[in-house]
C-alpha cells in the first residue's frame, strides 16, 4: 500500500453480529440516528457516525465496541453489514492505521479499551471485573446444580432460580455482571441462536460460599411485549433444564454496573421482576459481611404484580431490617390500589433525598425498560421538593459512577 493510499485510511465503527443480542439499546441511545437494523443485524451508518461513543457504555455485551480500518472511499456498506454472520478479519495491521486526528485516536482508544466504558463509570471502589473470558467459539460448560421455581405455583409468571456449577473452570464474577447463555439449536434461518444475557444473582464468592457456582433468576417468556403468545427460545430452554444438564456459557460481561466496596457506601436499588437478580447478588454480598459493621445503608424498591409473583419474596422478608430497608410495590393485588416502584419512591421521598444527597450513595435500576422514565421523574420530583436539582445531580452521579441502569 502506498503512502498516499494509507493516508486515506479511516476507522469504521462496526457491530459484531456474533456477540450482538439485538436488544436495540444502541439504536435507542444514538443521538444522531447512526444505527439501524434489519431482521438479522444491527449496523452503523459510516457517513453518519461521529464517534461520540454514546452507544458504547449502554451496550450490554460490548458488541458495539468494534472497528475496522477501511479506505475512506470504500467503507463497508449497510448491505455488507446486514449480510455478515461475523466481522470481517482486520485487513490492515494496527500500526498502519492512523489517518485520524489525535483527538479521534484518543476517543477511539478510550472506546476500544474500556469494554462497555464510554462515559459510564463503575464506582471508584468497585473490584476489577474479569470480562469475556469465554467467547462464542469456546464457551465454558456449566452443570446445572439446581433449578427451582421461585414464584408461587398459581402465579402467572414462572420465574426460576438456577444454579450453575463451573467445576474446575475458572469463572470469576462480580455482583452486577451478566453471563451469556447459548441455547442449543438454530433459528428460523438455520443459524445458531444468538446469545442471551442473564444477570448473575449470587455474590462473587458463589451461590454457595466457596463453591465455583453462580445463580440466575430467569423468567419463562411465554408472551411477547405485545402480549401475543410466544415461546422464548433461551428462557424456556433454561427454565426446563434439569439437574446435571450441561449449559454453554460465555462472558462474563459488564464493567460498570458494579457495587462499591468501600466501608460506608450505600446502595439505593430499584427493580422489577427479574431485575432483582443483581440486587439479590449485592444484598447477599452485604449480608455475608454484616458482622464486619462496615456501615452504609441498603434501600430497595421492588415492583411486582403481587407477592406471589415476586422472586425471592420469602427470603427477602427474612432479611434483618438493620441490613436493608425494603419497599414493595404491587400493581395487581385485588382491592388494593396499583402501585409502581416510582410511587413507593415518592412515598419515601425524605429518605430517598437524604440518600441522594450522600456522596456515598450508589443508585441501581434494573428490570423493565418501561420503568426508567417513571423512576427518573420520581427522582426529579423528590429533588425539587427537597432543594436539590436532578438536572445537575444526575450528570454528577453518572460521572462519579453512582448511577447505573440496566433495563431490558
Ligand atoms: P426470545 O426468543 O429472544 O424472544 C421471544 C419474543 O419475546 C420476542 O418477540 C421478544 O421480543 C419477546 N421478549 C423477549 N424478552 C421478553 C420479556 N422479558 N418479556 C416479554 N417479551 C419478551 N432475563 C431474565 O429472565 N433474567 C435476567 O436476569 C435477565 N438479565 C438480563 C440482563 C441484560 C443485561 C439483558 C440485556 C437482558 C436480560 N434478560 C434477563 C433478558 C434475556 O436476555 C432474554 O432477552 C429473555 O430471557 C428472553 O429471551 P428468550 O430467548 O426467551 O426470548
Ligand atoms: P403491571 O401490573 O402494570 O404489569 P412484570 O411482571 O411484567 O415483569 O412486571 C413487574 C412489575 O412492573 C409489575 O408490577 C408491572 O405492573 C410493573 N410495571 C409495568 N410497567 C411499569 C412501568 N412503566 N413503571 C414501573 N413499573 C411497571
Amino acid at each position: 500500500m502506498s503512502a498516499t493510499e494509507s493516508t486515506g485510511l479511516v476507522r469504521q465503527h462496526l457491530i459484531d453480529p456474533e456477540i450482538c443480542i439485538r436488544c436495540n439499546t444502541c439504536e435507542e441511545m444514538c443521538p444522531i440516528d447512526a444505527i439501524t437494523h434489519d431482521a438479522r443485524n444491527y449496523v452503523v451508518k459510516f457517513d453518519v457516525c461521529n464517534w461520540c461513543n454514546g452507544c458504547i457504555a449502554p451496550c450490554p455485551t460490548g458488541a458495539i465496541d468494534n472497528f475496522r480500518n477501511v479506505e475512506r472511499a470504500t467503507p463497508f456498506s449497510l448491505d455488507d453489514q446486514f449480510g455478515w454472520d461475523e466481522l470481517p478479519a482486520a485487513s490492515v495491521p494496527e500500526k498502519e492505521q492512523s489517518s485520524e486526528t489525535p483527538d479521534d485516536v484518543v476517543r477511539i482508544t478510550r472506546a476500544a479499551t474500556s469494554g462497555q466504558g464510554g462515559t459510564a463509570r463503575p464506582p471508584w471502589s468497585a473490584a476489577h471485573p474479569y470480562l469475556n473470558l469465554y467467547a462464542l467459539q469456546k464457551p465454558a460448560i456449566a452443570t446445572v446444580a439446581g433449578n427451582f421455581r421461585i414464584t408461587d405455583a398459581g402465579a402467572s409468571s414462572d420465574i426460576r432460580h438456577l444454579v450453575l456449577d463451573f467445576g474446575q473452570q475458572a469463572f470469576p464474577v462480580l455482583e452486577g455482571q451478566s453471563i451469556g447463555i447459548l441455547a442449543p439449536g438454530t433459528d428460523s434461518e438455520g443459524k445458531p441462536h444468538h446469545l442471551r444475557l442473564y444477570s448473575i444473582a449470587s455474590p462473587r464468592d458463589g451461590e454457595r460460599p466457596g463453591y465455583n457456582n453462580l445463580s440466575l433468576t430467569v423468567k419463562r417468556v411465554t408472551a411477547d411485549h405485545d402480549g401475543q403468545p410466544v415461546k422464548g427460545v433461551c428462557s424456556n430452554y433454561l427454565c426446563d433444564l434439569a439437574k446435571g444438564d450441561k449449559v454453554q456459557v460465555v462472558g462474563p460481561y459488564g464493567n460498570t454496573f458494579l457495587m462499591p466496596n468501600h466501608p460506608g457506601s450505600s446502595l439505593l436499588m430499584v427493580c422489577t421482576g427479574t431485575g432483582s437478580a443483581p440486587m439479590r447478588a449485592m444484598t447477599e454480598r452485604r449480608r455475608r459481611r454484616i458482622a464486619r459493621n462496615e456501615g452504609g445503608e441498603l434501600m430497595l424498591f421492588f415492583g411486582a404484580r403481587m407477592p406471589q409473583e415476586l422472586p425471592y419474596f420469602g427470603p427477602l422478608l427474612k432479611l434483618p431490617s438493620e441490613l436493608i430497608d425494603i419497599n414493595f410495590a404491587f400493581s395487581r393485588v385485588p382491592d388494593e390500589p396499583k402501585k409502581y416502584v416510582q410511587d413507593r419512591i415518592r412515598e419515601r421521598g425524605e429518605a430517598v433525598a437524604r440518600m441522594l444527597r450522600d456522596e456515598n450513595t450508589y443508585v441501581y435500576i434494573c428490570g423493565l425498560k418501561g420503568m426508567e422514565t417513571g423512576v427518573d421523574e420520581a427522582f426529579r420530583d423528590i429533588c425539587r421538593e427537597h432543594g436539590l436539582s436532578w438536572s445537575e445531580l444526575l450528570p454528577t452521579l453518572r460521572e462519579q459512577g453512582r448511577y447505573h441502569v440496566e433495563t431490558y
Side-chain angles (χ1 to χ4, degrees):
M1 175 170 304
S2 75
T4 323
E5 279 169 334
S6 73
T7 56
L9 284 176
V10 287
R11 293 187 192 213
Q12 180 172 6
H13 189 182
L14 298 169
I15 298 175
D16 186 338
E18 282 191 288
I19 305 177
C20 175
I21 56 166
R22 282 83 177 160
C23 64
N24 204 50
T25 307
C26 53
E27 193 170 322
E28 276 176 38
M29 297 298 298
C30 181
I32 53 168
D33 293 332
I35 297 174
T36 184
H37 69 277
D38 68 358
R40 179 167 166 168
N41 283 345
Y42 275 73
V43 299
V44 185
K45 298 175 193 164
F46 174 76
D47 50 340
V48 181
C49 175
N50 65 0
W51 287 97
C52 74
N53 287 338
C55 56
I56 304 285
C59 172
T61 62
I64 193 88
D65 203 355
N66 280 284
F67 68 88
R68 289 288 181 272
N69 296 288
V70 294
E71 290 292 336
R72 191 183 294 276
T74 54
F76 294 111
S77 68
L78 292 186
D79 281 343
D80 291 337
Q81 298 177 55
F82 283 136
W84 287 341
D85 289 327
E86 58 188 43
L87 284 177
S91 55
V92 183
E94 279 279 327
K95 287 184 253 104
E96 288 180 35
Q97 315 163 355
S98 42
S99 61
E100 296 85 3
T101 64
D103 261 6
D104 286 334
V105 174
V106 169
R107 275 191 284 130
I108 293 163
T109 309
R110 181 151 47 87
T113 55
S114 60
Q116 296 171 55
T119 52
R121 301 218 165 98
W124 68 265
S125 60
H128 186 76
Y130 285 92
L131 298 170
N132 298 311
L133 293 176
Y134 296 87
L136 292 172
Q137 297 74 15
K138 208 164 184 289
I141 308 297
T143 307
V144 178
N147 179 350
F148 316 95
R149 181 168 168 138
I150 48 174
T151 43
D152 266 19
S156 59
S157 51
D158 180 8
I159 302 183
R160 306 234 154 204
H161 181 70
L162 260 107
V163 183
L164 301 181
D165 191 284
F166 288 88
Q168 298 303 310
Q169 303 153 98
F171 206 99
V173 297
L174 290 174
E175 306 80 10
Q177 285 195 289
S178 318
I179 59 169
I181 299 288
L182 302 174
T186 52
D187 63 19
S188 54
E189 291 180 8
K191 307 207 174 303
H193 293 298
H194 63 78
L195 72 89
R196 268 70 164 184
L197 287 188
Y198 294 89
S199 303
I200 295 158
S202 48
R204 63 192 79 178
D205 55 340
E207 171 65 17
R208 186 167 173 189
Y211 280 68
N212 190 18
N213 62 13
L214 58 74
S215 63
L216 304 177
T217 314
V218 182
K219 177 175 174 174
R220 188 190 291 279
V221 171
T222 54
D224 66 15
H225 293 290
D226 301 323
Q228 297 304 313
V230 70
K231 189 173 178 193
V233 170
C234 197
S235 58
N236 280 274
Y237 160 67
L238 285 172
C239 288
D240 289 337
L241 285 171
K243 195 172 171 187
D245 284 348
K246 305 286 183 200
V247 185
Q248 297 189 74
V249 183
V250 293
Y253 300 115
N255 64 354
T256 58
F257 196 108
L258 302 173
M259 67 187 291
N261 286 308
H262 62 281
S265 51
S266 295
L267 311 184
L268 177 51
M269 302 175 278
V270 184
C271 63
T272 57
T274 54
S276 56
M279 315 310 183
R280 178 185 185 267
M282 292 182 189
T283 304
E284 184 58 10
R285 166 80 180 162
R286 286 290 177 93
R287 194 192 64 79
R288 288 182 190 176
R289 294 167 68 88
I290 201 165
R292 298 175 185 234
N293 276 324
E294 291 172 325
E297 294 173 48
L298 302 188
M299 189 175 203
L300 173 70
F301 293 91
F302 193 164
R305 297 175 187 187
M306 48 181 76
Q308 298 85 334
E309 305 269 349
L310 195 136
Y312 309 116
F313 187 58
L316 267 173
L317 290 181
K318 291 193 191 123
L319 290 174
S321 56
E322 61 273 21
L323 174 74
I324 184 167
D325 177 349
I326 302 176
N327 303 266
F328 294 123
F330 297 119
S331 58
R332 300 192 199 181
V333 176
D335 304 324
E336 278 187 23
K338 184 182 185 91
K339 291 281 182 189
Y340 277 175
V341 279
Q342 50 268 42
D343 302 319
R344 291 288 182 221
I345 291 173
R346 281 199 176 82
E347 287 167 17
R348 297 295 311 280
E350 186 115 11
V352 171
R354 179 178 49 73
M355 288 191 80
L356 289 177
R357 251 196 203 100
D358 178 356
E359 61 183 25
N360 280 311
T361 295
Y362 293 75
V363 183
Y364 299 86
I365 299 167
C366 189
L368 283 182
K369 217 175 238 325
M371 76 170 157
E372 270 181 55
T373 316
V375 170
D376 181 83
E377 282 165 4
F379 284 146
R380 186 175 299 280
D381 291 347
I382 288 169
C383 284
R384 195 180 312 113
E385 285 159 21
H386 292 82
L388 292 164
S389 161
W390 184 238
S391 315
E392 287 170 20
L393 183 58
L394 180 58
T396 307
L397 291 176
R398 287 213 167 103
E399 170 81 10
Q400 296 177 349
R402 293 168 50 209
Y403 194 79
H404 303 276
V405 181
E406 197 160 88
T407 54
Y408 44 86

